[in-house]
Amino acid sequence: MVSLSSSGYYLVFCLLGLLLTRLPSHSADPDPLQDFCVANLNATFSVNGFPCKPVSQTTSEDFFFSGLSKEGDTNTPSGVSVTAGNVQSFPGLNTLGISMNRVDFAPGGLNPPHSHPRATESGIVIHGKLLVGFITTDNVFHSKVLTAGQMFVIPRGLVHFQRNVGEEKALTFTAFNSHLPGVVLIAPNLFATTPPIPNQVLTKAFQVEDEVVNSIRSKFGA
Ligand code: GLV
Ligand code: MN
């Protein structure tokens, strides 16, 4: 018969505790608690997500969305158009933990550096030639030029971009494990805030003079 010392009991107790502890497993939106919960975007009260429209008022139309079928207008300063298929445009996605974007690029167009605080992103190139890149928290830059049918993944929260490096237009569809991934566009997030971030913060952070900060601000209409 094996006898345990008090430190042995303590060790067994700790191991059992570890085994019985339910480790958190959510990496994005929480699991739904019902089949669906079509968002009532006009509800006067708010919850973490959107309240459900009554099931009796739900129709098939709530589960289909044609907003990503049309090419976006890429006649923009960065030559890109992002059309979002998230819970705000497609309320049927509410609580289901997924969404998609359509991203159109003019030749040379750039989907500028940004991050999604609430989702990992995956994408597939439909046509064109895209340089896709992201930066890790250790400042390592990963990138590759992709063509039709090739996929990419951007780990949750990391800064990333896509640039059309081909001669023709380019198109990618992206998917997210959140019904509302959120987007932080790096340049406006620092240079077009309301109210403005004090110049002393930005000049010190970027090791530049006031003129440089003012010049960047003016480009973002701030
Ligand atoms: C691309 O990066 C996207 O957010 O759709
Ligand atoms: Mn993105």
Side-chain angles (χ1 to χ4, degrees):
M1 168 119 167
V2 182
S3 69
L4 288 175
S5 64
S6 61
S7 59
Y9 277 116
Y10 181 71
L11 188 64
V12 170
F13 180 78
C14 289
L15 285 174
L16 269 176
L18 271 180
L19 279 176
L20 295 176
T21 305
R22 194 174 163 273
L23 296 172
S25 60
H26 295 305
S27 57
D29 293 2
D31 284 339
L33 301 176
Q34 49 214 345
D35 282 358
F36 56 79
C37 166
V38 176
N40 174 359
L41 300 177
N42 301 316
T44 50
F45 61 99
S46 67
V47 293
N48 186 18
F50 293 94
C52 315
K53 137 179 182 181
V55 174
S56 58
Q57 290 171 23
T58 301
T59 69
S60 293
E61 284 304 305
D62 288 315
F63 302 105
F64 300 92
F65 178 64
S66 50
L68 303 192
S69 57
K70 277 199 242 84
E71 182 177 346
D73 179 9
T74 57
N75 193 12
T76 59
S78 47
V80 73
S81 163
V82 179
T83 311
N86 60 36
V87 67
Q88 287 172 326
S89 50
F90 183 7
L93 293 180
N94 194 35
T95 76
L96 299 182
I98 53 164
S99 58
M100 294 186 77
N101 282 350
R102 171 187 179 126
V103 193
D104 290 283
F105 299 82
L110 172 73
N111 189 12
H114 65 278
S115 70
H116 305 286
R118 294 186 288 274
T120 289
E121 169 178 331
S122 177
I124 181 161
V125 178
I126 305 301
H127 59 76
K129 203 171 168 192
L130 283 184
L131 169 68
V132 179
F134 72 87
I135 303 101
T136 71
T137 54
D138 297 325
N139 299 333
V140 177
F141 174 46
H142 294 288
S143 70
K144 185 165 181 170
V145 173
L146 301 183
T147 53
Q150 297 187 304
M151 281 185 72
F152 60 89
V153 67
I154 311 292
R156 176 175 170 167
L158 297 189
V159 174
H160 60 284
F161 67 86
Q162 299 98 19
R163 182 168 140 76
N164 182 358
V165 291
E167 307 281 300
E168 313 289 330
K169 293 175 181 176
L171 171 65
T172 179
F173 282 93
T174 50
F176 304 87
N177 61 341
S178 169
H179 71 192
L180 191 60
V183 59
V184 176
L185 281 161
I186 305 306
N189 197 242
L190 288 173
F191 293 95
T193 55
T194 312
I197 297 175
N199 266 31
Q200 297 92 316
V201 173
L202 296 174
T203 51
K204 214 166 183 92
F206 288 93
Q207 304 281 300
V208 294
E209 303 305 316
D210 275 309
E211 305 79 73
V212 178
V213 168
N214 294 340
S215 158
I216 301 176
R217 274 194 212 287
S218 67
K219 304 273 189 303
F220 291 94

